[in-house]
């Protein structure tokens, strides 16, 4: 019978005296909470999205990626991100992990990747192993209130990160994108002012370019028209407030740049696929 002797290694990928903590596990399927999340960010955790079945479209900052089964999106703290189904009525299953107190060696706190690495990983030879971890984590998720289950899930998350760390370094992208491109300069302006009463001519005037050139450049860089992007940011902020506060829909509309609650609800329904109140109930009833 084969026997395998493991080394007594103290190797770790975590910075000395730090241990990451799994704070949340989520799962999206066509029969559960809606997959759509508009652009939003988390400042207190890094996040992992692992597509187990089907496919989805993931937006990171202002770039869209299509993910299929076996793909992982690595999301550093503070990174704007959003997800949506790749096709209507398509079966999918996506696991999300939010990780606090993460500090990988050689990276800033709450970072999974550096600026030179692709945020999208194709798991390839590691897919079976990572899927096994994911299945157990999802089995443990309903038991999150149990200290024993929480500790087990945390150890599994550490194992998941070890494999992911190896995969990231094997997949390292040697090409560095120009972070100072004109498209990203436009994005930075929109990110700073999206809650204001923005109009395209005023944006163009502030950035000293004509409206056509601004729209064309931003669309080419991000896949969004400028005002579409503003709407996505506002909807993302509204989703965060619906899930994390008890503010009324009208109050949220006002805080997210809409002066008319009915119009906000109409836009929200068109983008998300359901009204704000129903969206809040769908997530809070999980």
């Amino acid at each position: 019978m084969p026997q395998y002797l493991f080394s007594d290694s103290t190797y770790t990928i975590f910075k000395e005296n730090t241990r990451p903590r799994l704070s949340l596990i989520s799962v999206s399927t066509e029969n559960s909470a809606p997959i759509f999340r508009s652009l939003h960010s988390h400042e207190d955790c890094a996040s992992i999205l692992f597509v187990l079945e089907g496919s989805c479209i993931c937006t990171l900052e202002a770039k869209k990626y299509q993910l299929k089964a076996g793909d992982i999106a690595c999301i550093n703290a503070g990174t704007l991100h959003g997800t949506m189904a790749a096709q209507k009525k398509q079966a999918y299953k996506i696991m999300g992990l939010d990780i606090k107190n993460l500090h990988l060696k050689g990276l800033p706190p709450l970072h999974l990747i550096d600026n030179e690495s692709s945020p999208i990983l194709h798991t390839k030879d590691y897919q079976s192993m990572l899927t096994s971890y994911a299945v157990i984590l999802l089995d443990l998720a309903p038991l999150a209130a149990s200290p024993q289950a929480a500790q087990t899930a945390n150890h599994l998350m550490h194992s998941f990160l070890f494999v992911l760390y190896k995969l990231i370094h094997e997949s390292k992208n040697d090409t560095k994108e120009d972070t100072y491109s004109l498209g990203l300069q436009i994005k930075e302006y929109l990110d700073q002012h999206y809650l204001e009463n923005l109009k395209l001519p005023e944006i163009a005037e502030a950035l000293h370019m004509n409206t056509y050139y601004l729209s064309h450049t931003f669309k080419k860089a991000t896949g969004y028209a400028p005002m579409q992007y503003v709407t996505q940011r506002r909807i993302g902020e509204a989703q965060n407030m619906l899930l994390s506060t008890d503010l009324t829909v009208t109050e949220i509309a006002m805080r997210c740049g809409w002066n008319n609650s009915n119009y906000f609800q109409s836009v929200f329904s068109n983008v998300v696929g359901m009204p704000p109140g129903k969206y809040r109930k769908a997530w809070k009833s999980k």
Side-chain angles (χ1 to χ4, degrees), residues 9-170:
S9 174
T10 57
Y11 169 76
T12 180
I13 61 174
F14 308 124
K15 190 171 181 180
E16 187 178 358
N17 298 323
T18 67
R19 297 290 283 177
R21 179 176 66 82
L22 180 62
S23 65
L24 181 141
I25 299 176
S26 64
V27 58
S28 294
T29 69
E30 69 277 15
N31 296 318
S32 69
I35 184 177
F36 184 90
R37 284 297 312 270
S38 194
L39 292 171
H40 64 289
S41 65
H42 307 290
E43 302 298 330
D44 63 344
C45 66
S47 302
I48 293 169
L49 291 181
F50 186 15
V51 182
L52 298 169
E53 299 173 15
S55 61
C56 71
I57 295 173
C58 181
T59 301
L60 299 175
E61 291 298 346
K63 190 169 183 179
K64 293 181 180 179
Y65 302 88
Q66 180 153 344
L67 279 62
K68 62 183 186 303
D71 289 348
I72 290 177
C74 299
I75 305 168
N76 295 333
T79 298
L80 286 169
H81 60 284
T83 53
M84 61 185 296
Q87 299 178 22
K88 291 184 178 179
K89 298 182 179 179
Q90 180 194 50
Y92 56 81
K93 187 173 185 179
I94 301 166
M95 181 186 74
L97 302 177
D98 286 356
I99 304 169
K100 293 187 175 182
N101 199 39
L102 175 68
H103 199 167
L104 295 171
K105 288 182 175 178
L107 290 175
L110 299 177
H111 276 55
L112 288 159
I113 53 170
D114 59 29
N115 293 331
E116 297 181 1
S117 298
S118 171
I120 306 303
L121 301 174
H122 309 295
T123 53
K124 300 178 182 176
D125 295 340
Y126 299 99
Q127 183 174 352
S128 177
M129 183 186 300
L130 290 172
T131 300
S132 297
Y133 291 152
V135 169
I136 302 173
L137 283 167
L138 291 176
D139 285 342
L140 288 168
L143 307 173
S146 161
Q148 294 86 351
Q151 186 175 28
T152 302
N154 216 52
H155 285 305
L156 275 170
M157 178 271 292
H158 289 177
S159 299
F160 195 102
L161 283 176
F162 268 85
V163 179
L164 197 63
Y165 186 83
K166 181 175 176 63
L167 186 59
I168 289 169
H169 283 268
E170 289 181 359

Side-chain angles (χ1 to χ4, degrees), residues 177-188 217 221-222:
E177 296 182 5
D178 182 7
T179 56
Y180 299 101
S181 67
L182 185 55
L184 290 183
Q185 289 181 37
I186 299 169
K187 175 190 169 298
E188 288 174 3
T217 301
T222 68

Side-chain angles (χ1 to χ4, degrees), residues 210-237:
N210 67 53
T211 55
Y212 173 80
Y213 183 65
L214 181 145
S215 296
H216 176 77
T217 301
F218 190 72
K219 177 88 173 185
K220 186 175 181 180
T222 68
Y224 289 104
M227 299 314 295
Q228 281 181 321
Y229 181 77
V230 169
T231 298
Q232 291 286 333
R233 288 299 322 271
R234 289 179 174 180
I235 293 294
E237 186 65 21

